[in-house]
Amino acid sequence: MKTNLPEPTLASNQSYTRNEAIFTRQTRATGTGLRRVAAERFGQLVALKARIAANLEKEFTGTIGAPLIRQIVTEAEALAATTPFPALLLPALAEEKAHNAAKWSVRQQIIRNHSLTLAA
């Protein structure tokens, strides 16, 4: 694989050995590869969050709005990031948070209705 990284010059620094120069070049190339892999994983995480949000929006239509669903997924992602397996736990955490938000929304609606009844 050819990279556009500059080759370390052996003549400019006599302390470099041939193996050190090769290692330095490989490390630089690997760093680029790691950035590429990290970017791919980030893209997969964004796609996973979008799928989770779409599924939760379908499940909780009329109870929880789309902005709250996005916030729920973002909070679940932050919580999942503290675990050893964030992608594995993200869907379950998001669903649990959505269920709690739906219960809260229903309870708020009951309180509003009860307040309107008392005010009338």
Side-chain angles (χ1 to χ4, degrees), residues 88-116:
L88 182 63
L89 295 175
L90 176 59
L93 289 170
E95 187 172 357
E96 182 180 353
K97 286 179 120 349
H99 280 288
N100 288 337
K103 287 178 188 176
W104 177 83
S105 179
V106 168
R107 189 170 54 244
Q108 290 298 108
Q109 187 62 40
I110 291 170
I111 291 170
R112 268 187 240 112
N113 291 342
H114 184 66
S115 297
L116 290 175

Side-chain angles (χ1 to χ4, degrees), residues 49 52-53 56-57 60 63-80 90-105:
K49 284 175 53 177
I52 291 170
L56 291 176
E57 284 178 24
F60 293 100
T63 308
I64 304 174
L68 185 56
I69 292 287
R70 285 192 299 274
Q71 181 182 350
I72 286 168
V73 174
T74 300
E75 289 176 4
E77 176 193 16
L79 186 57
L90 176 59
L93 289 170
E95 187 172 357
E96 182 180 353
K97 286 179 120 349
H99 280 288
N100 288 337
K103 287 178 188 176
W104 177 83
S105 179

Side-chain angles (χ1 to χ4, degrees), residues 17-75:
T17 65
R18 185 177 184 327
N19 288 338
E20 288 172 332
I22 291 170
F23 176 77
T24 302
R25 186 175 62 244
Q26 288 173 341
T27 303
R28 287 181 183 165
T30 304
T32 304
L34 289 176
R35 279 189 224 113
R36 181 180 43 80
V37 169
E40 288 173 5
R41 295 297 176 252
F42 180 74
Q44 290 172 346
L45 180 62
V46 169
L48 176 62
K49 284 175 53 177
R51 283 194 311 270
I52 291 170
N55 289 341
L56 291 176
E57 284 178 24
K58 287 178 190 173
E59 185 176 346
F60 293 100
T61 301
T63 308
I64 304 174
L68 185 56
I69 292 287
R70 285 192 299 274
Q71 181 182 350
I72 286 168
V73 174
T74 300
E75 289 176 4

